[in-house]
Amino acid sequence: MKVRSPLLAVIIVAVFVSGIGLSMAFNLWRTEASKEPARYESGEFAGEYNPADIRGSYTFGDIEDTFGVPAQVLGKAFALGPDKAPAAYQVKELEESYGELPDGGEIGTDSVRLFTALYLGLPYTAEETTRLPAPALDLLKEKLAPADIDSLRGITAEPQDLVPAAPEEAVPENTEESAAAGEVKGNTTFGELLEWGLTREQIEGVLGIPMGPRTVTVRDYVKEQGLEFSVYRTALQELLNTQ
């Protein structure tokens, strides 16, 4: 018996839709964009979300929403830099941040699965190459027995390469200690040189240019003229020492 094309199309669509409906009814249908992880199907934790289903596309915020582990805790555990927002940070970014560790291990999606399971007291078997950063172990000390912490030390990696080095604090040019009388430093003003006994003619003779205002430091003034302060500091100091 021949089935007309329009009727065949209707039958195919009906079968497809009913198949999806049955899959959803039995919790088997999942779309790629779904952020609801699978649940344990049996045992003590049946019905609870299973960390094994955490995917690289999840953000720490998604994990907080589903598993209840705060995004800030995850950020500390995986040593996110100060420029990273934990809630928006995707799990898959960890592998790029850490790269391959010296022992061949890696800190990535499976590390987040393991940490989440340990933090919540849920069962999970990690891959052999999975590692945890040291801050994660520190946070787990409040959750696990000392013996369990000791067993995790063998898969703990230091995260120095992930945490951006703190920028060196800029030292203001004029923060040096007040110079002793007659000692030329970066914060020495022209007024102080005059008070210590030098004359305007002597100062200008060393600098080779007119002296600056009394309240201006010698260093700032010569730098504005494109000159090297250290050269003139030495000459002025030698002149003061002869007074």
Side-chain angles (χ1 to χ4, degrees):
M1 180 181 70
K2 292 184 178 181
V3 180
R4 294 182 179 180
S5 297
L7 179 59
L8 180 60
V10 171
I11 293 174
I12 292 174
V13 171
V15 171
F16 180 72
V17 171
S18 62
I20 293 177
L22 289 172
S23 297
M24 293 178 67
F26 288 97
N27 199 30
L28 298 175
W29 176 262
R30 293 188 180 279
T31 64
E32 186 67 25
S34 173
K35 291 298 178 70
E36 182 178 350
R39 300 174 185 267
Y40 290 101
E41 296 181 354
S42 60
E44 179 184 354
F45 302 99
E48 294 192 34
Y49 288 126
N50 189 341
D53 199 38
I54 292 175
R55 285 157 268 174
S57 60
Y58 279 28
T59 64
F60 285 175
D62 293 329
I63 296 174
E64 178 175 355
D65 292 340
T66 52
F67 290 93
V69 181
Q72 291 293 337
V73 169
L74 290 164
K76 291 179 181 179
F78 290 91
L80 296 194
D83 59 328
K84 303 291 185 182
Y89 189 84
Q90 283 191 306
V91 173
K92 62 184 178 183
E93 295 181 56
L94 286 172
E95 294 179 8
E96 298 177 4
S97 298
Y98 277 95
E100 185 175 346
L101 300 176
D103 65 352
E106 62 180 29
I107 294 175
T109 302
D110 200 54
S111 304
V112 177
R113 294 168 181 160
L114 176 60
F115 177 81
T116 301
L118 292 171
Y119 190 86
L120 298 175
L122 298 172
Y124 179 69
T125 301
E127 299 172 4
E128 290 185 2
T129 57
T130 297
R131 301 290 182 267
L132 289 174
L137 192 64
D138 292 337
L139 289 171
L140 290 172
K141 289 179 180 178
E142 300 178 1
K143 301 284 184 178
L144 304 178
D148 294 327
I149 292 296
D150 289 340
S151 67
L152 291 171
R153 295 189 189 281
I155 63 168
T156 301
E158 295 297 330
Q160 293 95 330
D161 295 337
L162 181 65
V163 182
E168 295 183 3
E169 294 185 5
V171 179
E173 291 186 350
N174 295 328
T175 57
E176 297 166 297
E177 295 181 1
S178 298
E183 184 179 0
V184 181
K185 288 193 173 184
N187 59 352
T188 300
T189 65
F190 284 108
E192 288 176 314
L193 292 179
L194 294 172
E195 291 174 4
W196 295 339
L198 295 184
T199 65
R200 175 182 290 269
E201 290 73 18
Q202 287 176 310
I203 296 172
E204 292 180 346
V206 170
L207 300 180
I209 56 176
M211 188 186 84
R214 293 176 63 94
T215 57
V216 173
T217 65
V218 179
R219 176 167 60 182
D220 289 346
Y221 185 73
V222 297
K223 286 181 67 177
E224 289 177 0
Q225 310 303 317
L227 304 175
E228 181 63 40
F229 170 66
S230 60
V231 175
Y232 299 98
R233 176 180 60 187
T234 301
L236 289 169
Q237 188 64 62
E238 291 176 352
L239 189 58
L240 281 168
N241 292 341
T242 62
Q243 296 296 308

